[in-house]
Amino acid sequence: MSDVTKTIQKWHASFKKGTDFDSWGQLVEAIDEYQILARQLQKEVQSSNSSEFTEDQKKTLGKLATCLEMRSAALQCTQSQEDFKLEDLKKLEPIIKNILTYNKGFPFDVQPVPLRKILAPGEEENLEVEEEEDAAASAGSPESFPSRVPALQGTLLPRLPSEPGMTLITIKIEKIGLKDAGQCIDPYITVSVKDLNGIDLNPVQDTPVATRKEDTYIHFGVDVEIQKHLEKLCKGAAIFFEFKHYKPKKRFTSTKCFAFMEMDEIKPGPIVIELYKKPTDFKRKKLHLLTKKPLYLHLHQTLHKD
């Protein structure tokens, strides 16, 4: 049996295990299994060395990862269970089982998860340490430069189709205030929507790299379309903004600070939110302000209701 066949069999077994847990009502175990499998699929999609799968097959694997994340998010939030049901997920079993020969259209209109590192629950806090260790390990080798993400154009997604009685959120990221704004290289912001456990409820999006700096401000001027209707976001959800920049000496992209906006702050018009020290605390339990200076993230919200 070839290695790729063994890999596909492991994926299928993991998928079956997750859907079994899901149907038995063992939701914590189902979520863990779905997230583990989503990371495995995404790792294959991002692998530049793999020639086992065609580009079309990798796109399908990416869409499978998206669906696993969607089901995982639905289980985290009772109000969202209409979004992606277990019956929907089960329709994907023949695809993952027969990925090498599957040649039909994907049954759901989803996009592959944006190229990024998918983290297991609780891994977020360790990311910065891992990056520094990786950078230190590769310091003497000119061959090993960690990838700089995102691409200059970012990974922003288009607005969702409108639905009667439902509200869509557009957030314009106007600017961020930092005392060393002029020294930040290739700055961008990662936008995510998390529940109280730090689980993704939406695809994560990166802004394009900002090019305009002025005094203590970095200007973005970009619209971010939140990929879920306001009414479908569960209680306790929050929208996170992680400011990242490239460190040439350490040769990796680092999170400098973060901000977040909770559900009661979603209302039309401008809003200014505080910046917190890294590492990003998606569970919002240990927050430390970045500075006592009056420096903030400046946003403008637009709500679209049909």
Side-chain angles (χ1 to χ4, degrees):
M1 187 185 298
S2 70
D3 287 344
V4 68
T5 304
K6 288 178 184 176
T7 299
I8 293 168
Q9 285 188 349
K10 284 180 183 175
W11 289 345
H12 179 232
S14 176
F15 183 92
K16 191 75 173 64
K17 192 175 175 183
T19 53
D20 282 349
F21 279 138
D22 201 342
S23 62
W24 298 334
Q26 293 177 242
L27 304 188
V28 174
E29 292 84 352
I31 290 164
D32 284 347
E33 201 65 40
Y34 291 152
Q35 291 180 344
I36 289 167
L37 180 55
R39 290 198 305 279
Q40 291 172 347
L41 297 179
Q42 186 65 2
K43 188 176 179 182
E44 187 63 48
V45 171
Q46 293 181 354
S47 171
S48 55
N49 301 325
S50 171
S51 56
E52 304 287 358
F53 299 97
T54 66
E55 286 306 308
D56 283 344
Q57 287 166 350
K58 284 188 175 186
K59 283 181 184 175
T60 301
L61 291 174
K63 290 181 179 183
L64 286 166
T66 297
C67 292
L68 288 163
E69 285 200 347
M70 288 169 65
R71 180 59 189 161
S72 177
L75 292 177
Q76 292 288 315
C77 178
T78 53
Q79 294 175 5
S80 297
Q81 287 193 6
E82 294 303 311
D83 283 2
F84 206 80
K85 297 179 180 178
L86 175 59
E87 307 92 84
D88 293 331
L89 193 64
K90 284 185 173 179
K91 292 175 185 174
L92 303 177
E93 186 175 355
I95 301 178
I96 198 165
K97 187 178 180 182
N98 304 297
I99 185 67
L100 293 177
T101 55
Y102 185 82
N103 57 7
K104 298 176 183 176
F106 201 79
F108 303 106
D109 185 17
V110 297
Q111 295 303 312
V113 176
L115 292 182
R116 60 187 171 86
K117 182 174 181 180
I118 295 181
L119 301 172
E123 280 185 342
E124 295 92 347
E125 294 83 358
N126 303 323
L127 179 58
E128 189 77 23
V129 177
E130 290 170 6
E131 286 177 328
E132 297 214 16
E133 288 173 351
D134 290 346
S138 65
S141 169
E143 303 297 323
S144 51
F145 281 80
S147 61
R148 292 171 65 174
V149 293
L152 288 174
Q153 69 271 22
T155 58
L156 295 180
L157 298 168
R159 188 181 305 165
L160 293 175
S162 59
E163 290 184 20
M166 292 291 184
T167 308
L168 288 167
I169 311 162
T170 301
I171 299 176
K172 179 182 280 295
I173 301 176
E174 295 184 336
K175 60 184 180 180
I176 188 171
L178 298 164
K179 62 182 181 181
D180 56 350
Q183 298 171 29
C184 295
I185 298 172
D186 289 353
Y188 67 97
I189 291 176
T190 295
V191 181
S192 58
V193 183
K194 310 276 187 180
D195 69 5
L196 278 170
N197 295 313
I199 304 298
D200 280 321
L201 302 175
N202 269 196
V204 174
Q205 304 181 63
D206 292 319
T207 70
V209 167
T211 55
R212 184 180 157 217
K213 300 168 189 173
E214 187 178 61
D215 299 326
T216 55
Y217 288 104
I218 297 174
H219 294 262
F220 286 89
V222 294
D223 288 340
V224 180
E225 305 292 347
I226 302 304
Q227 299 293 299
K228 191 181 283 285
H229 295 89
L230 176 59
E231 292 78 5
K232 295 181 181 179
L233 288 172
C234 57
K235 185 178 179 181
I239 302 171
F240 279 82
F241 305 86
E242 297 174 89
F243 177 83
K244 301 179 180 181
H245 64 125
Y246 182 68
K247 290 188 171 181
K249 287 184 180 178
K250 295 181 179 177
R251 296 186 294 192
F252 68 86
T253 296
S254 167
T255 300
K256 183 177 181 65
C257 58
F258 71 99
F260 63 87
M261 195 167 65
E262 297 185 315
M263 292 298 97
D264 59 356
E265 297 175 287
I266 296 179
K267 53 192 72 169
I271 183 172
V272 174
I273 56 178
E274 293 176 316
L275 302 172
Y276 296 95
K277 290 180 181 178
K278 65 183 180 183
T280 308
D281 180 11
F282 292 120
K283 296 181 181 179
R284 293 163 264 162
K285 290 182 178 177
K286 297 177 182 178
L287 301 170
H288 304 282
L289 287 173
L290 179 68
T291 176
K292 293 179 181 177
K293 296 178 184 293
L295 298 172
Y296 307 99
L297 179 62
H298 296 250
L299 309 170
H300 191 282
Q301 302 179 75
T302 305
L303 303 185
H304 314 270
K305 190 156 186 175
D306 215 13

